Amino acid sequence: MGEERRGYLYGLTAYVLWGFFPIYFKLLQPSPPLEILAHRIVWSVVFISLILAALRNWRFLPKLVRDRKLLGGVSLAALLIAINWATYIYGVNSDRVVETALGYFITPLLLVVLGVTVQRERLTMWQWTAVGIGVVAVGVLTVDYGHLPYIALTLAVSFGSYSLVKKRLKLPPAEGLFVESAVLAVPALGYLVWLNVAGKAEFGHVSAGHTVLMVLSGIATAVPLLLFAAAANRVPLVGIGILQYVAPILQLACGVLLFHEPLPGPRLAGFALVWVALIIFTVDGLNSARRRRTVAGPAAATAEPATTLPPR
């Protein structure tokens, strides 16, 4: 099997795992979202620590501690990923899986907006068209919901901002996830201690299966990210861009088919507009990659590495 094909296999596996996350987090009930989030953070630190210890790869820590600017950036990334994780868990366990899927459909369009406003990037006419259609879609969904789809927008904004910070930090995936989780581990542990002292903790009091699943949430967090990192090193950026739609499609299917969440006509119309915008966005990206290959040869399409890590 060639390296690129292997990369697509890694990427597809990662996005399929993320796509079925709603099922996993439903199984963690009756734990409330904050307890699930705290355990996810703590067990992520434990799991990644074991990986780094096995690889004997701790050289990045002294540099990080000495660089206050880098440490501040990591802390900001940690805060953004915590907001994203907490919002996603809340959305899933409040029976709004469809809206969480919407958030990850909107995210690529929001990343384009951040590229313009923060990175001073220039958009093509078709990219502007896709963003405009996305804005109309949010308007249609706002009318349908009776309020802004705040779960979807919070997921998109937090992940888009997180992606921008991560792009500037340029930390390797395993090391980055460890440091971000470690920054959050102290308040997470404090919260878990308080829950136990107050007698409000569900962990260890529901069933053996529930306890095991809570512990495994760290592995469930880290494994798809590591698979994605392996894919990003082997697959062209355009390929990663197309693969990223696998997860929200599966999440939408989970919400509608497994959890029987409503998808009335106006809401479906809003989703359809988002999909049209994403099709335009993807086709424009494919055409741009094809033009680069024509002008500069095959290496041009694969020269730019994927710069965002999905934070489910």
Side-chain angles (χ1 to χ4, degrees), residues 9 48 92 134 154 176 195 213 275:
L9 180 60
I48 296 295
V92 169
T154 302
L195 278 181
L213 286 173
W275 294 329

Side-chain angles (χ1 to χ4, degrees), residues 43-56 58 178:
W43 296 114
S44 293
V45 172
V46 172
F47 181 66
I48 296 295
S49 296
L50 293 174
I51 292 177
L52 293 177
L55 297 174
R56 298 181 180 179
W58 297 101
F178 169 79

Side-chain angles (χ1 to χ4, degrees), residues 69-80 111 114 118-119 158-171 180 307-308:
K69 185 176 180 181
L70 182 59
L71 188 59
V74 170
S75 300
L76 177 58
L79 175 62
L80 291 168
L111 285 169
L114 286 174
V118 180
Q119 298 288 87
S158 60
F159 176 50
S161 303
Y162 171 80
S163 300
L164 182 63
V165 173
K166 290 284 286 186
K167 180 175 182 178
R168 294 183 173 184
L169 292 177
K170 298 180 180 178
L171 282 174
E180 291 159 18
T307 56
T308 60

Side-chain angles (χ1 to χ4, degrees), residues 19-188:
F20 288 114
F21 260 24
I23 300 173
Y24 188 90
F25 286 115
K26 286 280 189 183
L27 294 174
L28 299 183
Q29 293 178 319
S31 289
L34 283 180
E35 183 179 12
I36 296 172
L37 174 64
H39 277 282
R40 188 178 182 183
I41 291 167
V42 170
W43 296 114
S44 293
V45 172
V46 172
F47 181 66
I48 296 295
S49 296
L50 293 174
I51 292 177
L52 293 177
L55 297 174
R56 298 181 180 179
N57 188 13
W58 297 101
R59 294 187 300 274
F60 66 95
L61 279 179
K63 177 185 175 183
L64 180 67
V65 172
R66 290 194 300 266
D67 192 333
R68 291 187 177 182
K69 185 176 180 181
L70 182 59
L71 188 59
V74 170
S75 300
L76 177 58
L79 175 62
L80 291 168
I81 199 63
I83 292 171
N84 187 273
W85 285 357
T87 304
Y88 183 77
I89 295 167
Y90 170 76
V92 169
N93 287 345
S94 60
D95 300 322
R96 297 168 77 171
V97 174
V98 169
E99 192 174 342
T100 65
L102 174 64
Y104 290 114
F105 278 125
I106 293 175
T107 297
L109 301 176
L110 185 77
L111 285 169
V112 171
V113 174
L114 286 174
V116 173
T117 57
V118 180
Q119 298 288 87
R120 304 298 182 185
E121 296 174 0
R122 301 177 70 176
L123 299 189
T124 67
M125 179 191 71
W126 288 112
Q127 287 173 327
W128 276 118
T129 301
V131 171
I133 294 172
V135 171
V136 173
V138 171
V140 170
L141 290 164
T142 298
V143 173
D144 175 64
Y145 281 113
H147 57 79
L148 280 171
Y150 62 87
I151 289 178
L153 292 175
T154 302
L155 287 172
V157 170
S158 60
F159 176 50
S161 303
Y162 171 80
S163 300
L164 182 63
V165 173
K166 290 284 286 186
K167 180 175 182 178
R168 294 183 173 184
L169 292 177
K170 298 180 180 178
L171 282 174
E175 290 84 341
L177 178 61
F178 169 79
V179 176
E180 291 159 18
S181 299
V183 167
L184 299 169
V186 173

